[in-house]
Amino acid sequence: MSKLHIRKNDTVMVLAGEDKGKTGKVLKVLVKENRAIVEGVNIVSKSAKPSAKHPQGGIIKQEAPIHISNLSLIDPKSGKPTRIAIKREGKNVVRIAKKSGEEIK
């Protein structure tokens, strides 16, 4: 299983595809598939039968997973996309933005 540079609740920017340039918060990371679900990005229409959750049924808009390689973490200082460096402090692992050198929480 590979390590991913993106985690839940990170703010990311889409680098490629239909939603290029959009930013959003990561809702879920699908590690085995190397994909993430980002809020407001890659919206698809899905048909749903009436159920307890959706009594009316019909067409529902929801976010679909997007590949991790098409996402870049947003630098907390400058607000621009950045790459990440991994630094070990004892047993703790810290992610650092390459552009500003600031720690990503």
Side-chain angles (χ1 to χ4, degrees):
M1 205 157 68
S2 64
K3 301 262 182 182
L4 301 177
H5 63 279
I6 291 173
R7 296 181 188 163
K8 185 178 176 181
N9 294 327
D10 282 346
T11 305
V12 294
M13 178 181 274
V14 180
L15 300 176
E18 192 177 305
D19 295 317
K20 182 178 179 179
K22 286 187 182 178
T23 59
K25 187 173 134 183
V26 176
L27 301 175
K28 189 174 184 180
V29 177
L30 308 169
V31 179
K32 288 184 180 177
E33 297 151 37
N34 281 339
R35 293 178 172 269
I37 297 174
V38 183
E39 190 175 37
V41 174
N42 200 20
I43 302 289
V44 294
S45 298
K46 183 180 173 187
S47 297
K49 287 185 176 180
S51 64
K53 192 173 183 182
H54 302 286
Q56 198 65 43
I59 297 171
I60 298 168
K61 301 235 182 226
Q62 66 182 34
E63 292 95 353
I66 187 168
H67 200 272
I68 293 282
S69 67
N70 294 329
L71 300 174
S72 181
L73 207 66
I74 297 291
D75 191 333
K77 196 171 189 179
S78 68
K80 294 182 179 176
T82 183
R83 291 181 297 144
I84 299 172
I86 303 292
K87 185 177 178 185
R88 298 185 189 280
E89 295 176 350
K91 292 193 178 206
N92 297 338
V93 176
V94 178
R95 297 181 301 161
I96 297 170
K98 289 250 184 171
K99 278 195 176 171
S100 65
E102 196 160 313
E103 184 180 326
I104 297 167
K105 291 171 175 74

